[in-house]
Amino acid sequence: MACPLCEAEGGIVLWQDAHCRVIRVDDPMYPGFCRVIWHEHVAEMTDLPTAERIHLMNIVLATEQALRELCRPDKVNLASFGNMVPHLHWHIIPRFADDSHFPESIWGKAQRSGVAHAAPDDNDMASAIALALAVNV
């Protein structure tokens, strides 16, 4: 079976190492939306050895920290589903009280037309993620 996260980057790569990559999702209604994608095709967190799980979560949390500093959201949603793409990845989504779905998930029923917030620059996001990793990992 073809896997879109094995065959393509999945978005604009902001940071990567030998194990995973952080990409920006191109969604103008959710600026700063990122995914952390494990390079190897595995479906669940428990498929990874403990050290790799810790590494992945450090990347997820550093990405969240960087997005909180850059976007100043009301909330950050973290999610790992794999229902549509059974390839381990985490969604990191800055949320605003006036976005179209808040307080629902972005995949839920829209609550209003919503306000589009300014997106951080890709270079600023990449730098902030690298800095958060350097300080916290």
Side-chain angles (χ1 to χ4, degrees):
M1 171 167 66
C3 174
L5 297 180
C6 289
E7 296 172 358
E9 297 293 349
I12 307 232
V13 177
L14 301 173
W15 180 92
Q16 66 181 330
D17 69 5
H19 301 289
C20 58
R21 63 190 177 273
V22 179
I23 60 107
R24 179 182 57 79
V25 176
D26 187 17
D27 188 333
M29 288 306 295
Y30 298 98
F33 181 175
C34 290
R35 286 190 188 105
V36 177
I37 303 167
W38 194 253
H39 291 319
E40 187 180 340
H41 191 96
V42 297
E44 307 295 345
M45 287 292 290
T46 52
D47 290 338
L48 298 176
T50 301
E52 291 178 347
R53 282 184 230 159
I54 291 168
H55 178 74
L56 178 57
M57 290 312 300
N58 284 338
I59 306 305
V60 169
L61 297 174
T63 303
E64 175 192 336
Q65 180 179 345
L67 292 174
R68 287 182 67 195
E69 292 169 7
L70 285 172
C71 299
R72 303 285 182 211
D74 296 309
K75 179 73 177 100
V76 176
N77 290 165
L78 299 177
S80 180
F81 302 113
N83 299 341
M84 301 298 289
V85 179
H87 183 129
L88 187 56
H89 64 285
W90 282 84
H91 303 268
I92 301 97
I93 311 163
R95 299 296 306 279
F96 299 90
D98 57 0
D99 75 38
S100 60
H101 288 82
F102 198 88
E104 297 290 328
S105 81
I106 68 168
W107 299 283
K109 182 179 176 188
Q111 306 296 300
R112 66 196 66 78
S113 58
V115 173
H117 292 261
D121 177 78
D122 288 343
N123 291 327
D124 291 342
M125 290 174 64
S127 295
I129 292 165
L131 178 61
L133 285 166
V135 170
N136 296 305
V137 176

